[in-house]
Each structure stands twice: as structure tokens, then as C-alpha cells.
Amino acid sequence: MDPVGEKQIRASFVNCSKGEASRLRLPVGLAELPWEHLDFLGWRDPGAPDRSYLVAPRPDGLVGVTLRVPQGVRRSFTKTTVCSICLTGHPGSGVSLLAARRAGPAGRQGNTVGTYLCADLACSLYVRGRKRSQLAGRHEETLPEAERIARTVRNLDAFLDKVLTGEGA
């Protein structure tokens, strides 16, 4: 992913108002992020742990989405869970169910789409081996890195398509 600045990030959000986008907290150390190793920029809001944000490059430009942890979702601290985007396995609460309000009229009616994501939104780093799950060593994937990256991007694109079109479950 190419480095992006604050204005580009704030302008990319498709499922919130411009006012909401202008008030959201950006990740700390934006300029120092390992951009060359990122397929998307994802971060948790340190002031609101139930909020996360994701910004990804798409053919038509950057697309940003706000994500929330749905209310009433129980987390298991003993089960192993798998991220739906990068397919990294994590113990306990290493994966979170995150819901994005759909873009456009569907979102204004309250429709959302959810997916299970690495709780730290570091999928790009996991597929490149730059960050390791606590399950690393027990369950090693044999797929080459380039194919893991391509699969991650496809899975992310499929999720973003659901947010953008208002279609799919």
C-alpha cells in the first residue's frame, strides 16, 4: 500500500458522514507505519475500544469503513478463532466480530455486514510473517506468501464489496 495522509484517509470513508470522518482518531505514528508491508490500513480507536477503522486501496481509489463490535456478542477466551480476511488462527480473543454499516441508503436504514477480523487488524503483517499469532508453530500454513497476500486482498475486497453494494450476507 502506498503511504496516505490524513486528508486522504478522512475523505475515503463511505459508511459515515463527513463530520464523523473528520472527528475519528487516526492511528498514532501514521508516517512511520510499514506501508510497504500493508495491504490495508486498519486500527482500533484507543478512546473507544468498540470502534475500528479500515482503509484499503481499490481500483477507484481509497475506501474507508468504520467498524464496530456488535453489542451483546460473547467472546470466548478459550476457543481458537480464525480471521475471515487473512485466515490467521488466534487463541482466545485474537479475532473480533466487526460490523460495518453499509454504504448509501442501506446503511442509513441501519443495515450492516459483519466479518471476523484479527482483533489488532494486522492481517497484512500476519500473512507476511512480520507478526506472529500465539498459535504460530502449531498450525503453519504451507501456501506461499504471495498467494496468502493475494487471498487476503480477495477476501478483503469481497467484504468491501458487501459494504459498498448493500448486497450479500
Side-chain angles (χ1 to χ4, degrees):
M1 181 173 181
D2 292 329
V4 293
E6 179 180 345
K7 283 186 179 184
Q8 291 172 291
I9 292 170
R10 292 187 189 285
S12 73
F13 283 90
V14 297
N15 66 343
C16 68
S17 70
K18 287 182 182 182
E20 289 171 303
S22 71
R23 292 186 301 271
L24 63 85
R25 294 182 187 186
L26 295 178
V28 176
L30 189 61
E32 293 82 37
L33 292 175
W35 294 101
E36 68 277 10
H37 302 296
L38 298 180
D39 303 302
F40 66 90
L41 173 62
W43 72 100
R44 304 289 298 241
D45 187 330
D50 65 329
R51 291 186 198 161
S52 297
Y53 309 99
L54 188 150
V55 175
R58 303 268 292 194
D60 296 336
L62 287 179
V63 171
V65 294
T66 61
L67 302 159
R68 293 209 179 220
V69 176
Q71 297 296 320
V73 174
R74 292 185 183 174
R75 291 190 203 176
S76 173
F77 292 99
T78 59
K79 291 184 179 178
T80 298
T81 50
V82 176
C83 173
S84 297
I85 302 299
C86 67
L87 303 185
T88 300
H90 293 276
S93 62
V95 171
S96 293
L97 174 61
L98 296 174
R101 186 171 51 193
R102 292 184 189 270
R108 287 190 291 277
Q109 292 174 358
N111 295 332
T112 61
V113 62
T115 192
Y116 289 93
L117 277 161
C118 293
D120 59 3
L121 292 110
C123 299
S124 300
L125 302 179
Y126 288 114
V127 298
R128 287 171 173 79
R130 298 197 161 274
K131 193 167 187 178
R132 301 193 50 93
S133 162
Q134 292 177 1
L135 295 179
R138 295 196 303 186
H139 303 284
E140 293 296 324
E141 188 169 22
T142 58
L143 197 63
E145 181 180 297
E147 291 180 40
R148 290 192 313 265
I149 292 168
R151 179 187 62 204
T152 298
V153 171
R154 279 192 311 272
N155 290 343
L156 179 62
D157 281 343
F159 172 69
L160 292 175
D161 285 346
K162 291 176 186 176
V163 174
L164 291 167
T165 64
E167 299 172 4

